[in-house]
Amino acid sequence: MSAVVEVGPSGSSDVTLAFFADKEAADVSKKVTGKPLLSMLDFQPLTATGWSFLSTSSSLLRPRWVTDSVVLYRRVNRPQELSSALASIAVGGAPVFDGFELESRNRVLFKTYTLKGTVRLPSLEVLLPPLPSALSDTIFKQKTPETSPQEPSGPPLELEIEVRMPGRASVLSSYTEARATGFVWRVMPGETREVFIRSETLETSRIALWSLSFGSGVVAVAFYIAARRRRASTSLRT
């Protein structure tokens, strides 16, 4: 599973939530149950709160080891709405993204964004619906270094969260991996991770307004000085 939270300069956010299954698990699921593995997950609570299904044809959304995938997307227009969007991702009635808040502040020529919250991934017993033993053994078997490179398999069941912030970002929590696109936290079943990230952007529009105001002030002072000099020169002649 993976989640990507991308915060835009305006404070709007795009959230993508993806569920993946590798070829072996997908094949066993169809053989044992006659259904795709991911069809056994209930996405109705998400679609009922504003999430939409996305096409997974893009290679950016489908890792090379993926055979079966479901991707959902939601856009929020204000920082305050991100908290409720993430809170709607729940397992067993408990939110996976707990207490998330996106805050934006204006500071003279800069704008800062702070995203903070807790990710809690429940245990496997809570995370997945009841499965036939043949299927669960395939999904949860340990991957070993001897796994053949000709038979690529996915990583162990985990949640990968990537956060992309505008401007220059810095991470204030641990267990983080830096990427060219953002910062990543990995959470295994039964684990908890703190997400705390802050970024800063230079507000070029404010710089332009400040420069215009400053330039107008300089021009006004120049005209004032020139006018004083003209009045002084007229007084001397008279």
Side-chain angles (χ1 to χ4, degrees), residues 223-235:
F223 272 109
Y224 174 76
I225 293 174
R228 288 288 301 270
R229 286 177 177 173
R230 284 197 298 269
R231 285 197 295 271
S233 175
T234 303
S235 301

Side-chain angles (χ1 to χ4, degrees), residues 98-220:
D98 187 25
F100 266 76
E101 291 186 1
L102 175 62
E103 182 182 77
S104 63
R105 289 187 177 181
N106 297 321
R107 296 191 305 108
V108 191
L109 301 180
F110 295 89
K111 190 170 186 176
T112 60
Y113 303 84
T114 302
L115 179 64
K116 185 177 181 180
T118 302
V119 181
R120 293 188 177 92
L121 196 61
S123 63
L124 292 177
E125 293 77 13
V126 178
L127 189 61
L128 291 176
L131 300 172
S133 59
L135 180 55
S136 61
D137 291 345
T138 300
I139 295 173
F140 303 131
K141 75 176 184 179
Q142 295 296 317
K143 307 298 182 181
T144 65
E146 290 76 24
T147 301
S148 171
Q150 281 73 37
E151 298 178 0
S153 59
L157 188 64
E158 66 178 3
L159 171 61
E160 177 186 286
I161 307 105
E162 180 177 353
V163 177
R164 303 171 182 174
M165 302 284 278
R168 184 178 57 189
S170 58
V171 175
L172 306 174
S173 57
S174 55
Y175 301 100
T176 311
E177 171 192 335
R179 288 184 181 170
T181 53
F183 292 91
V184 174
W185 288 259
R186 299 182 188 278
V187 189
M188 298 294 290
E191 290 184 340
T192 298
R193 290 282 182 268
E194 297 295 328
V195 174
F196 192 3
I197 185 170
R198 179 174 292 151
S199 72
E200 185 177 73
T201 60
L202 183 63
E203 296 291 277
T204 54
S205 59
R206 291 181 189 167
I207 293 177
L209 288 174
W210 183 83
S211 300
L212 179 62
S213 299
F214 179 78
S216 300
V218 169
V219 171

Side-chain angles (χ1 to χ4, degrees), residues 35-117:
K35 303 176 184 177
L37 175 61
L38 297 179
S39 70
M40 289 182 272
L41 300 179
D42 183 13
F43 298 106
Q44 195 276 334
L46 289 174
T47 56
T49 56
W51 292 81
S52 303
F53 289 102
L54 275 184
S55 168
T56 58
S57 58
S58 170
S59 60
L60 295 176
L61 295 175
R62 289 176 65 103
R64 65 183 180 86
W65 52 266
V66 164
T67 297
D68 190 14
S69 58
V70 174
V71 180
L72 295 104
Y73 167 83
R74 184 170 173 181
R75 180 178 179 82
V76 296
N77 297 315
R78 296 184 301 171
Q80 308 90 293
E81 298 173 355
L82 181 60
S83 178
S84 61
L86 292 176
S88 64
I89 305 171
V91 177
V96 176
F97 294 85
D98 187 25
F100 266 76
E101 291 186 1
L102 175 62
E103 182 182 77
S104 63
R105 289 187 177 181
N106 297 321
R107 296 191 305 108
V108 191
L109 301 180
F110 295 89
K111 190 170 186 176
T112 60
Y113 303 84
T114 302
L115 179 64
K116 185 177 181 180

